[in-house]
Amino acid sequence: YFEQALVLDPDNPWVMSDLAAAQFNLGNFEEPLRDFEGALEAATAPADRASAHSRLSDHYKLRGQLGRAIEHKQLEWVEREKSHPASVVFTDSKLPSLGLFAMAGEQQRAFEILRRAEDELSVPFTRTIPLGYLNVYLELEDADNAERALAEVEAWIEAQQAEYRRDFVLNAQGRIREMRGAYEEALGSYRRSLELAPTNTYTKRRIARCYRELGRLDEAEAYLKEHLVTTPNNPHAHHELALVYADMGDRVQALQHLRIALEVWSDADPTFKPAQEARASLSDLGPA
């Protein structure tokens, strides 16, 4: 359908990006990048260019190339600020992205963005700033600071009746509990989050991880297989499923899923932690 749409409108950057994402899910890892870049080249309006940069950032993030992901994320912000107030760009685009900086070891840059927002923005936009701190602390696996930020976020939700953020809060609560090894309690938070956002694949993966830690491997496997139905080449899901099969004693399937993850991460940054962990898992399984 995307290909047919491009026949009718060959320079539509939105369709190009959708086609690239579909190709990635089919296991074509290089061609989508050319299509994303083609969408950026075809974009003329700031909103179109911002969207193209956002999709490129997501692509590089998934492949573990965090420097390139940050580069395109910042270019996205530049384009959005051409047609939206800085306060709107901050709440809608910058806040959800700050965890990316922490993932790349650039947490100080994330904190600088937050401190600048504290100085430059006015109420009510400053009330959303704890969301940014929460994203950063979760990525740093700093449970104590994340918990403090989460309390501020929950207070903001109650005050503003911003219930559309409730699934995010429950997910964050689950991650904090998981960091502390409280896997049963984390499962409760994740399940409630999934009820509010049932298509969230990240939550399914986190549920599976808790089940694996609890030794409930069949349930972990089921959630990951459901995850891979809609994102069949997600490297994080394949690595987690490899760990499940390794715990089951199924070395053949563990190796199969590790190879898929490492193929996606073949050009990942040397410091990209998930790829490092996947290579360590491969080493633990012994010679292929």
Side-chain angles (χ1 to χ4, degrees):
Y1 283 109
F2 292 141
E3 287 169 348
Q4 290 178 48
L6 283 176
V7 171
L8 299 173
D9 189 2
D11 294 322
N12 188 314
W14 299 83
V15 179
M16 290 180 186
S17 293
D18 287 337
L19 176 60
Q23 288 172 331
F24 184 91
N25 272 335
L26 289 171
N28 305 322
F29 302 130
E30 298 304 326
E31 190 174 345
L33 181 57
R34 291 192 293 272
D35 288 339
F36 282 132
E37 290 171 343
L40 179 59
E41 186 177 343
T44 55
D48 294 343
R49 288 195 295 272
S51 176
H53 281 302
S54 178
R55 299 293 286 267
L56 275 163
S57 179
D58 290 343
H59 177 83
Y60 281 120
K61 178 183 176 183
L62 189 63
R63 300 209 66 186
Q65 296 172 269
L66 301 184
R68 300 297 304 275
I70 287 173
E71 175 188 336
H72 282 284
K73 184 56 64 178
Q74 291 176 312
L75 289 169
E76 174 199 341
W77 298 343
V78 169
E79 294 296 336
R80 293 199 188 283
E81 286 174 347
K82 292 177 181 178
S83 56
H84 293 84
S87 54
V88 173
V89 175
F90 175 76
T91 54
D92 291 354
S93 299
K94 292 186 179 182
L95 275 181
S97 308
L98 294 180
L100 171 63
F101 288 80
M103 187 187 298
E106 299 280 352
Q107 57 266 27
Q108 290 309 314
R109 290 173 66 187
F111 289 135
E112 287 170 12
I113 291 169
L114 288 165
R115 285 192 290 269
R116 195 178 309 125
E118 289 170 338
D119 293 337
E120 296 176 0
L121 298 184
S122 58
V123 176
F125 298 103
T126 52
R127 291 174 181 158
T128 64
I129 286 174
L131 282 165
Y133 281 103
L134 179 57
N135 278 325
V136 174
Y137 287 129
L138 287 174
E139 201 58 55
L140 295 175
E141 297 188 351
D142 183 340
D144 292 341
N145 277 318
E147 191 167 53
R148 283 189 278 272
L150 179 60
E152 293 185 62
V153 171
E154 289 186 288
W156 169 73
I157 286 175
E158 293 297 333
Q160 300 296 316
Q161 296 183 334
E163 286 302 313
Y164 65 94
R165 294 282 192 178
R166 183 64 62 187
D167 68 299
F168 170 78
V169 165
L170 289 166
N171 219 301
Q173 184 184 74
R175 289 184 68 186
I176 292 167
R177 289 172 170 176
E178 191 181 351
M179 288 176 206
R180 291 174 170 158
Y183 299 113
E184 287 285 4
E185 291 84 350
L187 275 172
S189 298
Y190 287 145
R191 287 196 198 98
R192 288 169 61 202
S193 176
L194 196 62
E195 288 173 4
L196 296 174
T199 60
N200 190 323
T201 54
Y202 293 96
T203 307
K204 292 175 183 177
R205 189 166 70 244
R206 289 165 185 159
I207 289 173
R209 189 167 59 212
C210 288
Y211 277 135
R212 177 174 60 81
E213 292 288 354
L214 291 167
R216 296 163 63 176
L217 302 179
D218 289 340
E219 290 161 289
E221 179 189 25
Y223 268 94
L224 290 165
K225 284 185 172 180
E226 186 177 342
H227 181 330
L228 289 170
V229 167
T230 52
T231 57
N233 282 292
N234 184 286
H236 301 281
H238 280 289
H239 183 206
E240 183 60 39
L241 190 53
L243 296 177
V244 170
Y245 285 129
D247 286 353
M248 287 179 171
D250 189 339
R251 182 175 174 277
V252 172
Q253 289 210 72
L255 284 169
Q256 174 187 338
H257 288 281
L258 271 177
R259 288 192 189 105
I260 295 171
L262 288 171
E263 183 181 0
V264 178
W265 289 329
S266 59
D267 294 320
D269 297 339
T271 56
F272 185 60
K273 187 177 177 181
Q276 292 175 338
E277 293 173 345
R279 285 191 286 271
S281 299
L282 186 64
S283 179
D284 291 342
L285 287 170

